[in-house]
Amino acid sequence: MLLRFLFFFFFINVFCCSIFGQTPESEVIRYETISIIENGVTLSLPYTGGFNSPIYTEADLNNDGIQDLFIYERTDNSGNYVFRNGPNDYYSGFEFQKNLPPLKGWALMYDYNCDDIPDLFTATDDLIIVYKGAYDNNNELQFTVAKEKLTITNNEDIFSLTDNVPSIVDIDADGDLDILSFKTAAGQQVALYKNQSMELYNHCDSLVFNLSTACYGNFKDEGMIPLTLDINPDSCGMGMPELIANRHGISSLLSFDNDNDGLYELMIGNEFYNSVTVLSNNGTPDDAHFYKQDNSFPSISTPINMVSLPTPSWVDVNMDGVGEILISNRSSASSQNYAFTKVYQRDETDSFDLILDTFLVKNMIDVGQEATPVFFDFDQDGLTDLLVGNSGYFNPLSGLAGGITAYKNIGNTNNPKFQLVDRNFENIVIYDWNFVAPAFGDLDGDGDEDMIIGEGSGKIHYFQNTAGPNNPVVFTTAIPEYQGIDIGKNAIPQIIDLNRDGLLDLVIGAQQGLLLYYPNNGTATNPVFDEQIFQLGGVDTRYLGQTLGWSAPVFSDLETPGNYLLYAGSESGFIFRYNDIEGNLSAGSSFTEMTNAFADARIGRRSRIDLADIDNDNQVEMVIANSRGGIGIYKFGASTPTINLNPETNYTISPNPATNDFYIAGPDLEKVEAVEIFSVDGRKIIANYNFEGNRIKILDQKSLSTGLYFIEIQFPDKKISKKIVMSKF
């Protein structure tokens, strides 16, 4: 035991030295300690990344015995973790998401092998692939392929159209998971594939299926309402193709027991309708019979009404043991991108009532879709604010109109804190642009910063700031199509003196993935952008196989003073990073691509970024936004956010190492506002604590794995940071 303990301390010391000696790229970490406040409430999931077309399943994602939320997002095929401590008590599981395998079309987490660990089902080329889950030593889910494609006993593939969501449920209550899916691409009937694991092996850990029926519940979905009930099962054809002309459309299935009789009703969402159909079952567990339908469910309360392709999920939102129905919109073309999920709760009549139409969105930054951020002190109070352009918030009456959402920094110079102050900054929505990307710079030489907006048509528009130096911005109405610049589509501009001649130039990212450079051939007070250098530096932000790159440029020398680097967001969501910029701006020149996945910093498709030192610690912060309307913030050059180990010796941690509970001792602890724990990779861990006499007791940390952690003690006027080692030896 002593040898193991000494070896552990040797490992920790070597590990500490190694992480603090990493290169700047590997030290870029999530900076999630910056508070975001909306309507007087501090958001619990500010950097979760926004949602437009989610599907939900419950799963214990961190092995703490609590059912968390796994959320698949169709717009960029991403999987997202939201941890729960209790009802409406959410926190980010972003760091755990890196272990997910590729997802496509849909993804659901269920425990198929009854080991109390979530497994993962998702689509693969109109088939179903299954990944087996396992917790590692850090209680992070890891996945290995359990079955590359699900088949039935004669090796025929179980068909599930990639865009259709199947129902995965123990339909016959025998202990293993069965599958309901439309049997062909043009299918009008739902097939039931029964799992034979219990019948064959008397345990549930196999994925062996047979086709029980190609006409589950004896109904047809012919792409019109009402559905046809009580059809002759002999007419199903057991695999005969149906006519394409009468196909049901892209659909989502959910099985749930509406009346608690042990029989599953079937809910169907369809791309042709903004409502769902619920089929009521009075058959048996082995032989469903749908005898009635509600085509505007729940018709006796507030019917479901989504723009297109309403998709149901079943989640115990209130964590009271009784599930709720969640309805989201899966249409990427016309997503309800803000109020994206409605919650329906069962009432005493076994109907469902709408209790919430903004599930999770109130807990996070979500600006609709196509978020484009910029750090800018718009009220000139010396604190860096945050503006986020977008393609608009969904409005069923008027459609999308791009605008800017404004977050004012209400913290201080060392501790930023952002508060939502305006979802329509400067009333940009009146121009009815379908995409808004703002940039700022003093283009007229009067000492205040003007605004340029790139928009969906590829044109840019100029807003003069008439406020004067050091005054809150006052913008004039737009001067449209500024200097005739038109790059074709979706312009993302930056204003910067790129050639270092004392004049501000324009660089514009293009949907094709390249950059266009417009050097200023005028003066500081009268810029002239009459020269275009096409595909500056040979930059191309397309990944292999992509036709579009959505380049979003930020040239900055914050990281390397006096020497520009280029950071470019992309369609893939990764950040490209280039050097060899200085003196290398002529046509045909080439920058050197350092990486096309800078620090693996990625929060979703179509990354747009900005850089600044927002907390005056001489380290760079980077905000990243995505197509879903969310953002994340990262910090360069530090191993943990806001952790600067204090030389003060008045504060002690004991025991250290600790195996579970530990204590903080020191002066003025009664003034402590918060205590937070961080792992070495910057992941914030919930700290439960109370006061015992003149000490603070940190409670119930047995779930922390062996390793080094940082304790941050927050006072009104300072932060004290200390190290602790958790040891399970």
Side-chain angles (χ1 to χ4, degrees), residues 111-114 175-177 195 197-198 202-207:
D111 177 15
Y112 82 83
N113 57 358
C114 304
D176 51 29
L177 290 176
N195 194 331
S197 184
M198 293 299 295
N202 199 33
H203 53 70
C204 62
D205 62 355
S206 298
L207 294 166

Side-chain angles (χ1 to χ4, degrees), residues 5 8-9 12 653-662 707 723-729:
F5 189 76
F8 166 68
F9 260 92
I12 286 296
I653 307 290
S654 63
N656 192 2
T659 57
N660 189 3
D661 301 344
F662 56 88
K723 291 185 289 187
I724 186 169
V725 172
M726 300 301 296
S727 171
K728 304 306 179 186
F729 289 103

Side-chain angles (χ1 to χ4, degrees), residues 110-111 114 167-180 192-195 198-199 204 216 255 262-264 285-286:
Y110 295 106
D111 177 15
C114 304
S167 176
I168 301 174
V169 65
D170 184 4
I171 205 76
D172 53 3
D174 67 349
D176 51 29
L177 290 176
D178 310 302
I179 295 174
L180 296 171
L192 168 59
Y193 300 93
K194 279 193 178 181
N195 194 331
M198 293 299 295
E199 289 84 347
C204 62
Y216 177 70
S255 298
L263 302 176
Y264 284 100
D286 287 311

Side-chain angles (χ1 to χ4, degrees), residues 185-461:
Q188 299 172 2
Q189 287 96 29
V190 168
L192 168 59
Y193 300 93
K194 279 193 178 181
N195 194 331
Q196 300 298 293
S197 184
M198 293 299 295
E199 289 84 347
L200 294 174
Y201 311 114
N202 199 33
H203 53 70
C204 62
D205 62 355
S206 298
L207 294 166
V208 181
F209 296 87
N210 70 8
L211 176 59
S212 175
T213 175
C215 197
Y216 177 70
N218 298 341
F219 78 97
K220 276 189 177 183
D221 182 351
E222 300 173 282
M224 62 187 69
I225 291 177
L227 308 184
T228 304
L229 304 185
D230 289 317
I231 66 170
N232 183 348
D234 295 335
S235 69
C236 288
M238 293 297 287
M240 296 295 291
E242 295 90 350
L243 295 175
I244 290 287
N246 293 325
R247 65 164 297 173
H248 60 87
I250 296 173
S251 297
S252 300
L253 303 178
L254 175 69
S255 298
F256 69 106
D257 185 0
N258 186 34
D259 45 13
N260 294 306
D261 62 355
L263 302 176
Y264 284 100
E265 277 65 55
L266 185 65
M267 180 178 290
I268 306 174
N270 190 292
E271 68 175 320
F272 299 144
Y273 303 103
N274 55 10
S275 60
V276 300
T277 293
V278 170
L279 302 177
S280 296
N281 186 359
N282 66 354
T284 68
D286 287 311
D287 187 14
H289 174 247
F290 297 130
Y291 69 100
K292 70 175 181 179
Q293 58 188 299
D294 183 349
N295 294 304
S296 56
F297 177 87
S299 56
I300 65 173
S301 57
T302 305
I304 290 165
N305 183 15
M306 300 296 278
V307 176
S308 176
L309 195 48
T311 300
S313 304
W314 183 266
V315 171
D316 184 3
V317 173
N318 300 326
M319 301 181 73
D320 60 359
V322 180
E324 281 75 45
I325 291 174
L326 275 55
I327 301 292
S328 52
N329 181 193
R330 289 186 68 236
S331 172
S332 56
S334 56
S335 171
Q336 292 185 212
N337 58 37
Y338 184 72
F340 47 74
T341 301
K342 302 179 185 298
V343 179
Y344 284 80
Q345 186 177 63
R346 192 195 307 270
D347 63 24
E348 63 277 2
T349 67
D350 287 333
S351 183
F352 285 80
D353 300 320
L354 178 65
I355 62 169
L356 182 66
D357 66 357
T358 53
F359 181 60
L360 289 188
V361 74
K362 295 294 186 183
N363 302 82
M364 67 181 67
I365 291 178
D366 193 316
V367 300
Q369 62 194 59
E370 305 297 353
T372 306
V374 60
F375 288 123
F376 176 59
D377 183 7
F378 57 78
D379 56 1
Q380 290 295 293
D381 63 353
L383 303 178
T384 303
D385 306 309
L386 175 64
L387 298 173
V388 188
N390 68 4
S391 288
Y393 296 96
F394 174 80
N395 185 323
L397 300 178
S398 61
L400 296 179
I404 300 173
T405 300
Y407 293 88
K408 173 179 166 57
N409 188 345
I410 61 170
N412 57 48
T413 54
N414 302 118
N415 296 290
K417 181 186 297 184
F418 294 110
Q419 177 174 279
L420 174 69
V421 293
D422 196 345
R423 287 197 183 272
N424 183 20
F425 179 74
E426 293 296 313
N427 200 26
I428 299 300
V429 297
I430 65 171
Y431 297 101
D432 201 28
W433 295 321
N434 66 357
F435 174 76
V436 167
F440 297 90
D442 184 7
L443 289 172
D444 57 5
D446 64 354
D448 54 27
E449 294 193 66
D450 309 299
M451 179 167 63
I452 288 284
I453 284 181
E455 52 102 354
S457 70
K459 300 178 176 63
I460 64 173
H461 311 284

